[in-house]
Amino acid sequence: MHLQFVLSITLVGLAVANPLSSPLAKRAAIDDCLRAANVPVDAPNSNDWRADANPFNQRLKYTPVAIAVPTTVAQVQAAVSCAAKVGVKVNPKSGGHSYASFGLGGENGHFVVQLDRMNAVTYDSATQIATVQAGARLGRVATALYNNGKRAFSHGTCPGVGVAGHSLHGGFGFSSHTHGLAVDAIVGATVVLADASVIETSQTENPHIFWALRGAGSNFGIVTSLKFKTFAAPSQVTVFSINLPWNNASAIVQGWSAIQDWLKAGMPKEMNGRVFGNRMQTQIQGLYHGTQDQLQTAIQPLLTKLNAQLSQQQQYDWMGAFSYYTYGQQVDVSRPYNLVETFYSKSLVTPALPDDVLQNVANYWDQKARSNNRGWFIIIDLYGGANSAITKVDSNATAYPFRDPNNHLFLYEFYDRVHSGSYPSNGFEFLDGWVKSFTDGLTTDQWGMYINYADPTLNRTTAQDVYYRKNLPKLRALKTELDPTELFYYPQAVQPA
Ligand SMILES: Cc1cc2nc3c(=O)[nH]c(=O)nc-3n(C[C@H](O)[C@H](O)[C@H](O)COP(=O)(O)OP(=O)(O)OC[C@H]3O[C@@H](n4cnc5c(N)ncnc54)[C@H](O)[C@@H]3O)c2cc1C
Ligand SMILES: *[C@@H]1O[C@H](CO)[C@@H](O)[C@H](O)[C@H]1NC(C)=O
Ligand SMILES: *[C@@H]1O[C@H](CO)[C@@H](O)[C@H](O)[C@H]1NC(C)=O
Ligand SMILES: *[C@@H]1O[C@H](CO)[C@@H](O)[C@H](O)[C@H]1NC(C)=O
């Protein structure tokens, strides 16, 4: 504590004594370079600048040294070239939804390449492959693919999330149990590397870079466009919920055990869902890829185990269901995009919980969570199990590591927000303690964390380890090869070996 305090005072002192060492002092140089190369930029303090510098997580606001707003791949290359020449860190930003504001670099003074002017979506019916520019948001992608022959790929529910940040680091949603993660649908990516060259990557072109992009894309370049294999959107899907009476620890333990047994043994493949809990209620929220009648047959074994009923069910077409889970947000959204929150969030991936761990987790929920009056929630995604498409992929087939059928059963998001004012400085211990109640009883090869729900309170060493686990050494070697000077840096970026 004391040592850290002294160190930070010293650093501030150095920065004041030598202002040219500050990255913000490089503003004139980067501006000159971008102007000479005809790269469009946001004028500082213009409305566009304010919109593009405004992070989804208002707890973590940072000031960029410059914001480029390219519309072509050549402009992205020129932007990277200027970053290297001037010596500033550069970060691509697509939808800007990083929980740690990593699209802004996760600290002051980074050069941001804002990609949301590049958002075209095209579909080739001969190959059934969609080509999506990196700055498109998920709602636009889903709408365009559905309108182009009723196609789809797996991704999350929030229409404003950027396709690139999301799919390059995982991407779980209401078709992932059936079809896999967004990252699993990627069959090609165009990327601008640290040397400003542009290359194609796929299973056959630059396969080692393609491997690294699928799970750790933010470390190796600026992806300008992605190719996704698509599936036919089912004509009928059924949204449903089951209210869970989780109002004491033993009810949580009982219900959770029933759900994890069912999921592990092989929840029906067409079933997709999550447990959502907040201060007011806990429920299973799902999307069955089929009709209401088919859902009733498929869900009955769980209802019997839980001694519960469906609380709600409604058949929709594909986009009707997507729209249902956006809770009233505009679906086909581009820019300006104004939704923001102020929060701290954490994540986990775990196996089925052993009895003692489950008891500790339930006690924490019952005692600490229930008495927290902030706007917290927990999401327990029904991620793995015998029928999950996600764990059918090998753990080392892509950089995204959580594929072990024995260990990776649930993906969790822990979220604690305030609806006004700033997040309290003593607030962090609430979610830190909840996560600890899981990890204390598990071995490190059993659990990990998900960088799409980045937790910026982890130091770099821990962050790299929990996000990438066994794939980290290969990623670090590739970082040395492709970006040894760490042009694409943020505080939890993969470190060169
Ligand atoms: C409201 C909300 C709902 C969400 N729902 C889900 C969900 O259902 N399922 C789920 O899995 N996740 C979900 N997420 C998390 C989301 O997947 C991540 O925050 C994701 O990283 C956001 O991508 P982005 O492009 O919007 O963010 P950005 O902040 O723009 O980028 C995130 C990271 O990716 C990098 N990056 C962005 N573009 C590129 C590129 N073109 N090339 C290389 N690197 C790039 C950035 O530098 C940064 O490190 C949700 C987030 C929010 C805020
Ligand atoms: C816990 O909640 C369940 C479900 O509401 C209820 O049946 C049970 O009696 C409660 N147990 C205790 C110890 O309060
Ligand atoms: C994954 O690991 C297996 C077994 O060690 C190995 O044979 C295979 O080549 C690896 N795949 C990749 C893509 O590294
Ligand atoms: C990083 O955090 C971990 C876990 O809190 C701690 O054990 C480790 O010492 C820290 N490492 C550094 C370099 O600060």
Side-chain angles (χ1 to χ4, degrees), residues 11 19 48 87 95 140 161 196 234 298 313 332 375 406:
L11 285 174
D48 278 338
R140 153 146 308 184
V161 164
Q313 55 180 311
D332 185 354
N406 294 318

Side-chain angles (χ1 to χ4, degrees), residues 245-251 254:
W246 288 12
N247 49 34
N248 60 57
S250 67
Q254 261 189 350

Side-chain angles (χ1 to χ4, degrees), residues 313-357:
Q313 55 180 311
Q314 173 81 50
Q315 212 167 285
Y316 287 98
D317 69 9
W318 184 250
M319 287 310 293
F322 184 83
S323 178
Y324 177 90
Y325 277 118
T326 65
Y327 302 114
Q329 286 178 52
Q330 187 188 338
V331 170
D332 185 354
V333 51
S334 51
R335 58 187 318 281
Y337 181 84
N338 300 320
L339 194 70
V340 296
E341 296 210 319
T342 302
F343 64 99
Y344 174 51
S345 178
K346 293 180 89 75
S347 68
L348 270 181
V349 185
T350 75
L353 299 184
D355 291 345
D356 55 335
V357 176

Side-chain angles (χ1 to χ4, degrees), residues 56 91-99 102-103 115 134 156-158 160-166 168-169 171-172 217-218 221-223 450 452-453 490:
F56 179 81
N91 303 91
K93 178 166 171 270
S94 288
H97 276 59
S98 165
Y99 286 10
F102 286 153
L115 292 161
T157 54
C158 177
V161 164
V163 72
H166 183 71
L168 292 172
H169 305 101
F172 181 90
S218 46
I222 301 185
V223 170
Y450 179 44
N452 266 346
Y453 303 142
Y490 52 95

Side-chain angles (χ1 to χ4, degrees), residues 95-229:
H97 276 59
S98 165
Y99 286 10
S101 302
F102 286 153
L104 295 174
E107 60 187 14
N108 290 331
H110 284 227
F111 172 34
V112 174
V113 178
Q114 170 74 48
L115 292 161
D116 66 355
R117 278 79 167 169
M118 296 173 72
N119 65 2
V121 180
T122 57
Y123 173 67
D124 176 29
S125 58
T127 57
Q128 304 187 326
I129 287 173
T131 302
V132 181
Q133 282 190 307
R137 298 176 191 273
L138 296 179
R140 153 146 308 184
V141 175
T143 304
L145 287 183
Y146 192 74
N147 291 345
N148 263 286
K150 303 207 157 95
R151 306 299 294 184
F153 64 85
S154 286
H155 53 69
T157 54
C158 177
V161 164
V163 72
H166 183 71
S167 67
L168 292 172
H169 305 101
F172 181 90
F174 281 114
S175 41
S176 293
H177 184 260
T178 313
H179 294 285
L181 300 167
V183 70
D184 300 326
I186 301 177
V187 294
T190 308
V191 59
V192 174
L193 299 174
D195 64 4
S197 64
V198 57
I199 61 162
E200 298 298 327
T201 68
S202 68
Q203 231 30 291
T204 53
E205 300 156 289
N206 299 298
H208 61 302
I209 301 177
F210 187 56
W211 178 90
L213 292 178
R214 286 174 299 154
S218 46
N219 297 283
F220 296 99
I222 301 185
V223 170
T224 56
S225 164
L226 290 151
K227 288 193 190 304
F228 294 97
K229 63 181 178 193

Side-chain angles (χ1 to χ4, degrees), residues 4 457-463:
Q4 261 177 5
T457 69
L458 307 175
N459 66 38
R460 192 178 186 185
T461 311
T462 301

Side-chain angles (χ1 to χ4, degrees), residues 227-309:
K227 288 193 190 304
F228 294 97
K229 63 181 178 193
T230 62
F231 58 81
S235 61
Q236 295 296 318
V237 291
T238 306
V239 165
F240 68 93
S241 64
I242 303 167
N243 293 334
L244 300 170
W246 288 12
N247 49 34
N248 60 57
S250 67
I252 295 171
V253 168
Q254 261 189 350
W256 191 312
S257 298
I259 293 167
Q260 75 181 12
D261 289 349
W262 179 68
L263 177 61
K264 191 166 187 202
M267 174 174 91
K269 184 156 192 225
E270 299 73 20
M271 192 76 71
N272 291 275
R274 63 191 184 193
V275 176
F276 174 91
N278 65 16
R279 207 156 54 81
M280 316 302 294
Q281 61 168 351
T282 307
Q283 59 176 204
I284 296 177
Q285 302 172 337
L287 183 70
Y288 184 73
H289 290 210
T291 64
Q292 211 162 315
D293 287 347
Q294 290 167 327
L295 164 69
Q296 275 168 1
T297 310
I299 199 78
Q300 192 52 52
L302 178 65
L303 293 175
T304 304
K305 271 183 198 288
L306 288 171
N307 189 23
Q309 305 293 318

